[in-house]
Amino acid sequence: MQKLGHTRNGSAHDHFLLTPETFVRAPLPGMRNATAIVHAAPANGAAFTAYTVEFETGGAMQAGAAQMFLYVLQGFVTVDQTTLSPGQYAYLPPAGTTPIAAHGAARALVIEKMHANLTGETPDAFTGDEQAVDALPLDAESDIEVRHLLPSDTTFDFAVNTLTYPPGAALPMVESHIMEHGLLMLEGGGIYRLGERWYPVRAGDFIWMAPFCAQWFGAIGKVPAKYIIYKDWNRHPLNG
Ligand code: UGY
Ligand code: MN
């Protein structure tokens, strides 16, 4: 059915929402039998990149100049020697040459950020499994579960968390903070307040929030809503 130019996408100076019917695929340098859907990059105001990689059988890509966080969405992705399944992830430090490959069709979310080195050290590469990460309550009253996928020590200059909302749960406050966000909806849906607008969102949607973008989410529906969210972290506002 022709949508007659309609999309749920929306944007303002401090945020954008990108919905799957508008995604355009193109390979990035170093990709073979794989394409990227770039969601966030300096071109649209973000200080990081976020893209979904879609691998065909035999697909491959490489880590590059920036730090890379890779979270498997579907299928199996091998990072160096470790094969990761959905919910498993890898952190790769900057200036790496780690090979990343998929033997069958697979999809992964990739986040890249230039490392703001504070301590003279860069983190080591590691792989993890979201299921093995403790689920913490967002706050004392909340039944929203947060999983911190990266360590919190100051060698890391960004955080990636998953938030899971039971149906009807909502952020306890409208947040406004210096950290920038990139967010991929993984399951369920609800209403996202971004700046002065409210958007219906569901699994597959991507959101960028600039520093100090007013933000609030309420989960609607019969199943939990879950998203994975990036933020810059652990650095002084005048220093990276
Ligand atoms: O970590 C966060 O700032 C998170 N609570 N933000 C959000 O979910 N929009
Ligand atoms: Mn936030």
Side-chain angles (χ1 to χ4, degrees), residues 163 171 175-177 179-181 183 192 209 213 215-216 227 229-231:
L163 270 67
L171 279 179
E175 295 178 8
S176 181
H177 51 64
M179 296 85 77
E180 185 184 18
H181 280 314
L183 178 165
Y192 231 107
M209 293 169 238
C213 175
Q215 56 198 261
W216 174 89
Y227 52 76
I229 185 165
Y230 157 94
K231 62 182 162 188

Side-chain angles (χ1 to χ4, degrees), residues 6-31:
H6 178 72
T7 162
R8 286 188 298 111
N9 279 9
S11 68
H13 74 281
D14 59 355
H15 69 267
F16 56 74
L17 165 68
L18 300 173
T19 62
E21 76 279 0
T22 63
F23 291 172
V24 172
R25 288 142 177 93
L28 296 179
M31 288 184 174

